[in-house]
Amino acid sequence: NYQKMKTFKCNFYILFLLILPLIFGSCCLARVQVHIINRLPDGMPMTLHCQSHDNDLGQLRLTGGDEASWTFSVNFWGTTMFYCDAQWDNSSMTYRFITYDASRDTRRCQTECWWMISEEETLYGYNQESEYWELFPFTSA
């Protein structure tokens, strides 16, 4: 009896581990692509430095109309967060914005997160759920 119980427990754990990705895969292990578009006036260049707790994506220079993008998987715990620091040539300020926060963006950015820094030097994020561009705040870096 002891051996049968031990085998049952082992089989149960193996089955549980095989089913776990199916249960949580759609909500917590999603692949997301982030896009950031420079729409500053007169083709003004922008320096962008993006990172998460685990990944530093380095520094990029985007001229007017250019786009930066990267793809990642949301972690199992749903705590993935990326942020970027942006600076453009006519400003001594560095502007920080969160490009992906799993607690905020699971529905808003189901597969893609679109960001645009506009001609008015403001930040807009596209909401896949509502299909609208929304104004987002910058914070000082």
Side-chain angles (χ1 to χ4, degrees), residues 34-134:
V34 172
H35 305 268
I36 302 169
I37 305 167
N38 176 357
R39 292 278 187 244
L40 292 170
D42 303 321
M44 186 186 317
M46 171 175 67
T47 303
L48 195 65
H49 184 202
C50 301
Q51 57 192 318
S52 71
H53 177 70
D54 299 320
N55 299 297
D56 186 334
L57 304 176
Q59 202 166 33
L60 294 170
R61 187 144 173 94
L62 302 178
T63 58
D66 283 353
E67 175 187 316
S69 68
W70 69 92
T71 304
F72 61 92
S73 291
V74 178
N75 67 24
F76 176 79
W77 298 273
T79 58
T80 301
M81 184 167 67
F82 279 89
Y83 65 92
C84 292
D85 293 330
Q87 186 174 25
W88 35 94
D89 286 356
N90 71 347
S91 176
S92 60
M93 293 269 307
T94 299
Y95 300 92
R96 177 166 287 173
F97 61 104
I98 296 171
T99 56
Y100 186 85
D101 182 347
S103 64
R104 176 192 72 188
D105 295 324
T106 301
R107 296 181 66 139
R108 196 183 73 77
C109 300
Q110 297 161 15
T111 57
E112 293 185 286
C113 254
W114 286 90
W115 296 98
M116 175 178 56
I117 298 175
S118 75
E119 288 189 14
E120 297 81 27
E121 300 179 8
T122 52
L123 175 68
Y124 290 93
Y126 185 74
N127 185 323
Q128 279 188 311
E129 187 174 42
S130 70
E131 298 182 356
Y132 289 106
W133 285 93
E134 302 167 333

